[in-house]
């Protein structure tokens, strides 16, 4: 594994130094292994590993290419790890949301256009809480996604989306079992939107923190009650 790690680091250095750019084709295996001072077997293992985490794209019969290196691709490995969580580790995922989403809301408050704010307003207007739990959860996902996408940081936005989509089951559970969950969710979203419309970064962050922390506290209590 040490030899493979060395191969990975050398290919990484080629990308970070600019010798290989997104979309570039890697040199043929024999040429690349000789230029990097690596065995062809260790190079192959490194390429396989970098393909898994979406840094490289192996096209059979065509060659190996550097991917676009977009955050969406690079964070797929994180999404895979989060897929392995159990009901109790989802509390830790909410803990990560509690750190990231207030930061995204603060950034979005400084950047959101009137058009983006109006779109959020329309989303809220079409949600009454009477459509059922799954519709409410879908609204919740779209609301938070719109804010993270407006924050101006693609990595932060994709990171939030990667972890947020794995908390759907907990959100549905809350909607089914906690009285007034729908009304509370909509009211908290309205408070966040009002702060965003005022371009008040601190208040948007505070409302976002309260919103996510409230779900986290409920989940912690619910899991404790079922233990």
């Amino acid at each position: 594994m040490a030899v493979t790690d060395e191969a990975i680091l050398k290919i990484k250095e080629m990308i970070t130094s600019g010798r290989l750019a997104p979309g570039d084709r890697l040199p043929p295996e024999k040429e690349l292994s000789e230029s990097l001072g690596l065995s062809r077997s260790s190079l192959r293992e490194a390429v396989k590993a970098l393909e898994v985490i979406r840094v490289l794209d192996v096209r059979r019969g065509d060659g190996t290419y550097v991917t676009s290196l977009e955050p969406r691709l690079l964070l797929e490995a994180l999404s895979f790890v989060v897929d392995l969580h159990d009901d109790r580790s989802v509390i830790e995922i909410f803990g990560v949301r509690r750190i990231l989403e207030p930061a995204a809301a603060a950034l979005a408050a400084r950047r959101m256009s009137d058009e983006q704010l109006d779109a959020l307003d329309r989303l809220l207007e079409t949600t009454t809480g009477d459509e059922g739990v799954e519709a409410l959860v879908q609204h919740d996902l779209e609301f938070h996604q719109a804010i993270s996408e407006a924050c101006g940081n693609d990595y932060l936005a994709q990171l939030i989306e990667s972890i947020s989509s794995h908390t759907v089951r907990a959100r549905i559970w809350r909607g089914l079992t906690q009285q007034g969950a729908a009304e509370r969710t909509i009211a908290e979203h309205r408070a966040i939107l009002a702060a965003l419309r005022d371009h008040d970064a601190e208040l948007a962050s505070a409302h976002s923190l309260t919103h996510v922390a409230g779900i986290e506290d409920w989940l912690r209590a619910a899991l404790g009650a079922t233990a």
Side-chain angles (χ1 to χ4, degrees), residues 20-137:
L20 287 173
D24 281 356
R25 180 178 178 176
L26 270 66
E29 182 184 274
K30 184 175 185 298
E31 178 185 334
L32 184 59
S33 63
E34 290 176 352
S35 67
L36 295 179
L38 300 167
S39 69
R40 296 176 70 170
S41 61
S42 63
L43 180 61
R44 285 191 206 105
E45 291 301 316
V47 167
K48 287 179 184 177
L50 292 171
E51 182 183 22
V52 168
I53 62 172
R54 307 303 296 276
V55 172
L56 297 180
D57 178 19
V58 179
R59 305 175 190 174
R60 307 304 173 192
D62 185 16
T64 299
Y65 293 78
V66 180
T67 68
S68 64
L69 301 180
E70 293 176 352
R72 173 184 57 81
L73 287 175
L74 300 181
L75 289 171
E76 281 187 7
L78 172 65
S79 181
F80 176 81
V81 172
V82 176
D83 278 337
L84 303 177
H85 77 269
D86 57 24
D87 286 340
R88 293 194 172 276
S89 61
V90 76
I91 293 177
E92 296 185 3
I93 296 175
F94 271 103
V96 176
R97 282 189 63 197
R98 177 163 41 86
I99 295 168
L100 298 182
E101 293 201 29
L107 290 171
R110 301 185 182 102
R111 300 174 56 93
M112 290 189 81
S113 65
D114 289 341
E115 291 77 11
Q116 290 172 312
L117 291 164
D118 289 344
L120 267 185
D121 199 31
R122 288 192 296 271
L123 177 62
L124 277 171
E125 289 299 322
T126 59
T127 307
T128 64
D130 298 329
E131 302 90 346
V133 173
E134 291 189 4
L136 178 67
V137 170

Side-chain angles (χ1 to χ4, degrees), residues 79 97 141 160-169 171:
S79 181
R97 282 189 63 197
L141 288 169
I160 290 172
E161 183 177 351
S162 293
I163 63 174
S164 183
S165 61
H166 292 82
T167 61
V168 169
R169 186 167 64 171
R171 287 152 137 164

Side-chain angles (χ1 to χ4, degrees), residues 130-163:
D130 298 329
E131 302 90 346
V133 173
E134 291 189 4
L136 178 67
V137 170
Q138 182 60 37
H139 155 79
D140 193 48
L141 288 169
E142 291 176 7
F143 182 83
H144 289 283
Q145 183 178 358
I147 294 173
S148 63
E149 287 177 352
C151 78
N153 185 315
D154 287 343
Y155 281 93
L156 178 57
Q158 290 297 328
L159 185 56
I160 290 172
E161 183 177 351
S162 293
I163 63 174

